[in-house]
Amino acid sequence: MTRSLSVAVFIALSGLFVRSTVSSAQTTSSDSTGTGRIVGRVVDSRTGQGLADVGIQLVGTTLGTSSGVEGSFTLKRIPAGTVTLHLRRLGYTPKTVTGILLSTDQTLSQDVALDPATVSLTTQVVTASAERGTVSEAVDRQRTAVGVVSSVTAEQISKSPDASAAQAVQRVSGVTVSDGKYVFVRGLGERYTTTSLNGARVPSPEPEQRVVPLDMFPSGLLQTITTTKTFTPDLQGDFSGALVDIKTREFPARRQLSLQLSGGYETGATGAEIIAPSASGGERYGNVGHSRDLPSIVRSVGNFQGLNLNQGDKDLLVSQFRNAWTPNTATATPNMSGSASFGGNDPLLFGHRIGYLMSGTFSSTTDFRDNQVRALAGRGNVKGETTEIDRFTGERSSQGVLWGGLGNLSTMLGNASRVSLNAMYNRTADNVAIVENGAFENEGIRARITRMEYVERAVRSVQLTGEHQLGSRHRIDWTGTASGVRRFEPDHSEFVQAIEQDTPNGPLALRWQNSGNGGATRTFSDLDERNREVTGSYRLALGAAGQSSVRIGGFYRRTARDADTRAYSISANGISNAIRELPPEELFDGRFSNGKIFDIGPLAQGGSYTARDRLSAAFAMTELALTDRVRVIGGARYESDHLDVNAFSTLGSPVFTRKVWNDLLPSLSLNVRLTALQQLRLSASRTLARPEYRELSPIKSRDVLNGDDTQGNENLSRTNVTNADVRWEYYPGPAEVISVAFFAKKFDLPIERVYRAAGSGTRTVFYTNAESADNYGIELELRKSLGFIASSFTPFTLFSNVTVMESRIHLFKNTEASATNLSRRMVGQAPYVINAGLSYSSATGASSATLLFNRVGDRIDAAGDAPLPDVIRRARSVLDLSLRFGLFQNVSARVDAKNLLDSPYNTVQGSATREHYKTGRTFQAGIQFRP
């Protein structure tokens, strides 16, 4: 889906929203004076599934209707006042809901749960307040899910300082977030966790991975984040850690408008003079356009092969680059964010009701790291000892932008069908400047390195969904999705200056390290991926109450990815020290264009690849109610993947790789309802993990400065994973849960990023299949109101989840890898993850306070090359506080304090510090207006 089409969709949506505003008076008058509407869903109390064909009668009148798709219903023109509903369906205990207070012109949301009837029972009678209750949607989703799931809802997010999906999802048990964006679940790396948006796979904007950075999704656009940890055949089979599904906000039952604005202060940054990258225009809004593109004349010479460039040609090429090498200084501005949403359910089309929502959000942040340390590790004088080499200390500033928007339309076609259109576009941009001082010890050079980089990431999605309930037994669902991502990194500059002395006691001078590759480089990267995905399924309900079912379906996804990276090194051999001491902006301002001193050439780290991936699948599954307490869910999924990768090295020849994988993935689960409040889940399944596109390309790339060579492996095989889960759940109260889960996974041919053994010279990182790996652990979860202590503690809720886990990977004994040992923990594996919190909510819900704590144990960041130990990212604790309170009518306020402990980010290799920095504490305040 092109960007222009996405914009067109939003324009169309905007037109509908304008029309809904203009027709406000008509909407009110469409219902008779003194009447209102009741909308809602009827669900099975045990499974959470919507129930169709439920008769719903307004007691004392002739008004009534039947529930349709997903159990949804609408009662119109109901006389205002206190009303009573009576619901009846074959196989379920009838229910009467009393005490529903409906005001004139009000649209009231009322969901009802029916209990399956195993014997003839009299009608249940409940009050409306008790029926609606305060049950957390997250807990209810977990209780009624087929497999093991954990959810974070919009309500929970709104009571936290989380600004993106990445921050929100780390509250889920067993979840860790690496680099503030990449999700690890149960200690498994990002290759074992997949991300979907409203059920459709999200493409990755990363050039060498298919991982999705979740910081791209603003929290203000989210309805729920659901982490599914067990596989069922209706899910895509290439995950083992979890499937993270991000569901965007849906339209409200009645017209609503919401405006939010907030500002924040970051210690050590806001108001301070810090380094700032030079701008070409548009960076502040994440939209630089073509101002930083690779110069067309440089692009036209390709990889320079076969060209006989004279000195004039080289000077011309060097002069084409943007003359920006050195960061400026600027006063760091406060963090800012704002959002707006407008939605409702109105008769927009010839009196036909359409649900709609339009929402947008924008945020701007500044991140500053002073005294950031990075280094490599070398062998010490004693066996097992490490020393720091190539240590650099400096400053890093990043100006970040995150903005996005979504538009939803949904309508019922009668009671039996619902069609929805969902369009979304999000963009992030990071403008980074780095200045650091240190030494290249192998070369004996003290140096200053200056880097500036700008990265835009964008994700777009347009999705059309249909749900059709054909009677009480037949249901058809289908979805068509066009999505895509782009990662644009134009004009990444790096400039190295040697710190030299002409005499032992002479003054220090900064001079351009003008020889070799890496003294002055410019890199341009662009990645674009397009996905087209269709899926459909048919469900047949069985039994008198339809509590058993058979479901079949199909799936097809076509992916096209194009990645291009071009890097150039500029040098000038034989120039005088006086010229070398000039600032880079003077070196390259044109004064030496005719001086015949510059040389330019492509670097081996450049290159490009294209990937064309076709995945088709079919599945069959059944859900059987063996008794009123025991349910079995089983079936299988067949997936066929055809992948072609074309890689083009900057300096080498094209390499073509083709892979075809066909897999049958079975799954079997048993859910046992032990008591009315307890249940036991057992599941076993087989899933897989396929290599990333770049990992299959046997071309070599290299970091600009003292980096390792990295090479793909066309012989990689996909990984097969056997999964087993056991979970006991206890729901003592409406918003309470206690659970204990055990999990174990067996990996066959897992893919690892390792070092190739070499006697001397540059280290080479490559990808290989290990022989096997194991992952196992236990998850504990608690969410409990403290009202059992005393009535005064009723507003307080304690919640916590703890995951303790271990893994072990076994490399082949004859491998080329030079690992620390042939049996170790998997990369990314943390031995424990702790989430805890305490929340307060007033009786009216107008005020709340939430204290959140997160700690992740030491984990392997990269496997060490023998005889060096593994690179370990040290444990870090995070404490956040959020306050919400009303100011006056329709206006509420929020105050957030993030990272109160300001624990350092610390990565070590033995006794050597590989990386160390702090980010500072953040304080922010905001207001929300909701008329």
Side-chain angles (χ1 to χ4, degrees):
M1 177 64 64
T2 63
R3 185 181 302 181
S4 60
L5 182 54
S6 298
V7 172
V9 172
F10 277 107
I11 292 175
L13 294 173
S14 301
L16 286 174
F17 298 148
V18 170
R19 177 174 179 177
S20 77
T21 305
V22 173
S23 62
S24 177
Q26 298 175 2
T27 302
T28 302
S29 62
S30 65
D31 293 328
S32 301
T33 303
T35 65
R37 299 168 63 241
I38 297 179
V39 300
R41 291 181 65 219
V42 185
V43 299
D44 186 302
S45 63
R46 295 185 182 179
T47 67
Q49 295 178 349
L51 297 176
D53 280 351
V54 177
I56 305 166
Q57 186 73 30
L58 184 66
V59 176
T61 73
T62 59
L63 297 175
T65 188
S66 296
S67 62
V69 62
E70 284 292 332
S72 58
F73 70 89
T74 300
L75 284 169
K76 305 176 182 178
R77 299 180 179 86
I78 300 175
T82 301
V83 299
T84 299
L85 296 181
H86 182 72
L87 299 92
R88 180 182 295 273
R89 185 182 189 272
L90 181 65
Y92 287 85
T93 301
K95 177 173 285 189
T96 298
V97 184
T98 64
I100 302 175
L101 183 60
L102 184 66
S103 303
T104 299
D105 298 328
Q106 180 186 12
T107 297
L108 182 66
S109 179
Q110 177 69 61
D111 294 344
V112 183
L114 297 185
D115 295 328
T118 56
V119 295
S120 179
L121 298 174
T122 58
T123 300
Q124 296 180 352
V125 179
V126 299
T127 62
S129 59
E131 184 66 21
R132 282 197 298 272
T134 57
V135 179
S136 165
E137 181 182 352
V139 174
D140 193 54
R141 183 184 295 269
Q142 175 178 313
R143 178 181 64 84
T144 60
V146 172
V148 175
V149 303
S150 299
S151 294
V152 179
T153 66
E155 179 184 0
Q156 293 170 295
I157 295 173
S158 68
K159 295 180 180 180
S160 75
D162 300 332
S164 68
Q167 297 173 9
V169 76
Q170 66 183 344
R171 313 296 180 186
V172 175
S173 62
V175 172
T176 60
V177 177
S178 176
D179 298 328
K181 61 184 72 174
Y182 303 125
V183 173
F184 287 57
V185 180
R186 291 176 168 177
L188 299 175
E190 60 266 19
R191 77 168 64 249
Y192 300 110
T193 300
T194 57
T195 303
S196 61
L197 178 68
N198 298 316
R201 180 66 53 86
V202 180
S204 170
E206 300 304 319
E208 298 187 358
Q209 305 175 28
R210 281 188 291 183
V211 63
V212 178
L214 294 188
D215 62 341
M216 295 184 62
F217 299 92
S219 60
L221 304 183
L222 308 181
Q223 183 72 25
T224 58
I225 306 175
T226 301
T227 305
T228 302
K229 300 177 181 177
T230 56
F231 170 71
T232 52
D234 57 329
L235 302 175
Q236 296 182 39
D238 56 342
F239 81 88
S240 177
L243 171 62
V244 179
D245 184 50
I246 300 171
K247 186 174 179 60
T248 54
R249 295 177 57 197
E250 295 181 345
F251 64 88
R254 54 186 178 275
R255 189 177 303 137
Q256 291 183 359
L257 171 67
S258 176
L259 302 173
Q260 297 187 57
L261 183 66
S262 66
Y265 172 85
E266 184 173 315
T267 59
T270 306
E273 288 292 316
I274 63 174
I275 59 173
S278 63
S280 62
E283 287 89 350
R284 183 176 296 273
Y285 306 102
N287 186 22
V288 297
H290 299 287
S291 60
R292 302 171 65 121
D293 282 356
L294 175 65
S296 58
I297 190 172
V298 181
R299 180 182 293 275
S300 68
V301 301
N303 62 5
F304 290 53
Q305 302 297 309
L307 298 178
N308 186 19
L309 299 178
N310 60 39
Q311 187 60 52
D313 296 331
K314 295 177 181 179
D315 290 343
L316 176 62
L317 292 175
V318 172
S319 69
Q320 298 301 303
F321 293 110
R322 192 171 62 101
N323 191 23
W325 299 88
T326 308
N328 305 311
T329 59
T331 302
T333 58
N335 297 339
M336 299 183 64
S337 66
S339 64
S341 65
F342 176 64
N345 188 313
D346 293 306
L348 301 177
L349 188 63
F350 305 109
H352 185 79
R353 285 193 171 270
I354 296 178
Y356 57 89
L357 173 69
M358 187 174 186
S359 183
T361 184
F362 176 87
S363 67
S364 175
T365 59
T366 299
D367 174 62
F368 180 66
R369 304 174 189 173
D370 197 10
N371 295 318
Q372 176 173 304
V373 176
R374 70 172 183 89
L376 299 177
R379 298 176 60 179
N381 297 322
V382 180
K383 183 178 180 180
E385 183 184 51
T386 59
T387 60
E388 289 182 0
I389 61 174
D390 295 356
R391 178 186 174 97
F392 282 81
T393 303
E395 302 172 287
R396 179 188 186 276
S397 74
S398 175
Q399 299 172 355
V401 173
L402 169 64
W403 60 266
L406 66 85
N408 291 344
L409 292 175
S410 181
T411 187
M412 295 292 296
L413 304 178
N415 280 340
S417 296
R418 178 167 57 196
V419 178
S420 304
L421 175 67
N422 185 319
M424 186 202 71
Y425 184 87
N426 287 341
R427 177 178 288 189
T428 65
D430 295 294
N431 202 13
V432 180
I434 301 173
V435 178
E436 53 186 7
N437 296 285
F440 298 117
E441 298 190 14
N442 288 338
E443 291 82 4
I445 299 173
R446 289 182 295 169
R448 167 175 287 186
I449 304 174
T450 302
R451 297 186 181 92
M452 292 192 297
E453 63 181 42
Y454 172 82
V455 181
E456 283 181 7
R457 296 180 177 89
V459 57
R460 58 194 184 273
S461 173
V462 177
Q463 185 178 75
L464 186 64
T465 301
E467 305 163 84
H468 309 278
Q469 186 74 46
L470 309 177
S472 62
R473 296 190 178 277
H474 306 280
R475 178 185 171 96
I476 295 175
D477 297 284
W478 55 267
T479 301
T481 306
S483 61
V485 294
R486 189 186 185 198
R487 183 186 188 274
F488 183 45
E489 185 179 4
D491 207 6
H492 176 138
S493 67
E494 304 195 14
F495 191 76
V496 182
Q497 294 168 294
I499 304 173
E500 297 179 343
Q501 286 178 297
D502 294 329
T503 62
N505 297 319
L508 296 176
L510 279 174
R511 294 169 180 162
W512 178 25
Q513 185 64 21
N514 59 302
S515 60
N517 293 334
T521 65
R522 302 303 274 260
T523 305
F524 301 81
S525 298
D526 198 1
L527 177 148
D528 185 71
E529 180 173 321
R530 291 86 60 201
N531 275 336
R532 300 294 183 268
E533 182 175 309
V534 293
T535 182
S537 67
Y538 164 74
R539 181 178 182 270
L540 172 63
L542 305 173
Q547 294 181 346
S548 297
S549 66
V550 174
R551 188 178 175 198
I552 58 174
F555 168 88
Y556 180 77
R557 181 176 70 236
R558 187 179 184 90
T559 300
R561 168 178 281 210
D562 298 288
D564 182 45
T565 298
R566 305 189 184 211
Y568 304 89
S569 174
I570 302 171
S571 59
N573 293 319
I575 62 175
S576 67
N577 285 344
I579 295 178
R580 293 176 59 208
E581 291 176 11
L582 291 174
E585 281 75 16
E586 294 183 24
L587 276 168
F588 302 109
D589 65 358
R591 67 183 67 184
F592 298 111
S593 294
N594 297 319
K596 299 181 180 180
I597 66 173
F598 293 123
D599 193 14
I600 182 173
L603 289 173
Q605 75 198 55
S608 63
Y609 70 89
T610 63
R612 300 295 182 262
D613 196 0
R614 286 88 58 202
L615 177 65
S616 55
F619 73 88
M621 62 181 292
T622 182
E623 184 175 352
L624 298 177
L626 300 182
T627 69
D628 62 332
R629 294 180 177 271
V630 181
R631 304 181 68 84
V632 174
I633 303 96
R637 182 181 186 89
Y638 178 80
E639 291 194 350
S640 179
D641 187 35
H642 295 252
L643 172 63
D644 295 332
V645 179
N646 277 290
F648 307 89
S649 172
T650 299
L651 303 178
S653 302
V655 180
F656 176 73
T657 302
R658 170 167 289 175
K659 294 289 184 180
V660 177
W661 290 300
N662 298 309
D663 294 279
L664 183 65
L665 307 173
S667 170
L668 181 64
S669 300
L670 181 68
N671 293 345
V672 182
R673 187 166 173 260
L674 302 175
T675 68
L677 302 178
Q678 298 182 60
Q679 60 185 3
L680 181 68
R681 302 178 186 271
L682 302 94
S683 69
S685 64
R686 186 175 183 179
T687 57
L688 56 86
R690 301 182 182 94
E692 311 296 353
Y693 301 142
R694 174 62 182 82
E695 294 171 353
L696 288 167
S697 303
I699 59 174
K700 184 177 291 188
S701 62
R702 178 174 169 79
D703 292 339
V704 177
L705 296 167
N706 268 18
D708 300 326
D709 287 338
T710 301
Q711 187 168 6
N713 180 1
E714 72 273 25
N715 296 316
L716 285 178
S717 178
R718 47 106 165 75
T719 303
N720 289 312
V721 189
T722 303
N723 312 277
D725 288 82
V726 178
R727 176 156 150 169
W728 170 79
E729 300 168 352
Y730 174 47
Y731 299 91
E736 300 176 340
V737 60
I738 301 172
S739 70
V740 180
F742 299 89
F743 63 88
K745 299 177 183 296
K746 179 72 173 180
F747 298 80
D748 181 34
L749 300 179
I751 299 171
E752 282 285 286
R753 184 179 186 269
V754 297
Y755 287 96
R756 173 176 285 131
S760 62
T762 302
R763 299 174 302 181
T764 299
V765 173
F766 79 111
Y767 300 92
T768 185
N769 288 109
E771 182 177 7
S772 63
D774 305 295
N775 172 257
Y776 50 90
I778 181 173
E779 292 177 336
L780 309 174
E781 183 178 7
L782 168 68
R783 184 179 184 89
K784 186 77 173 79
S785 168
L786 300 185
F788 70 94
I789 300 176
S791 58
S792 58
F793 285 90
T794 301
F796 293 91
T797 299
L798 176 68
F799 51 93
S800 176
N801 57 73
V802 178
T803 304
V804 180
M805 49 202 163
E806 184 56 83
S807 68
R808 188 64 53 184
I809 191 163
H810 312 284
L811 299 174
F812 288 107
K813 293 182 179 180
N814 60 347
T815 180
E816 297 179 83
S818 175
T820 302
N821 54 67
L822 297 179
S823 179
R824 56 168 171 77
R825 277 192 293 160
M826 300 175 72
V827 172
Q829 172 72 67
Y832 64 86
V833 177
I834 301 173
N835 288 301
L838 180 66
S839 67
Y840 164 83
S841 183
S842 64
T844 62
S847 301
S848 67
T850 305
L851 185 67
L852 298 166
F853 174 80
N854 170 262
R855 181 176 174 84
V856 180
D858 292 354
R859 60 190 187 273
I860 296 179
D861 196 56
D865 55 328
L868 297 177
D870 296 323
V871 181
I872 303 296
R873 182 167 297 187
R874 291 297 190 195
R876 183 172 182 271
S877 299
V878 180
L879 185 67
D880 300 328
L881 175 65
S882 293
L883 304 176
R884 305 288 184 270
F885 50 89
L887 291 179
F888 43 87
Q889 186 178 12
N890 300 328
V891 179
S892 60
R894 60 182 293 172
V895 177
D896 298 323
K898 301 175 65 176
N899 195 31
L900 288 171
L901 303 178
D902 197 17
S903 299
Y905 292 83
N906 195 23
T907 303
V908 301
Q909 190 169 13
S911 57
T913 298
R914 293 291 303 267
E915 188 176 40
H916 178 90
Y917 63 89
K918 288 187 174 183
T919 59
R921 300 172 178 87
T922 300
F923 303 92
Q924 59 189 30
I927 59 173
Q928 181 183 49
F929 172 65
R930 180 174 288 179

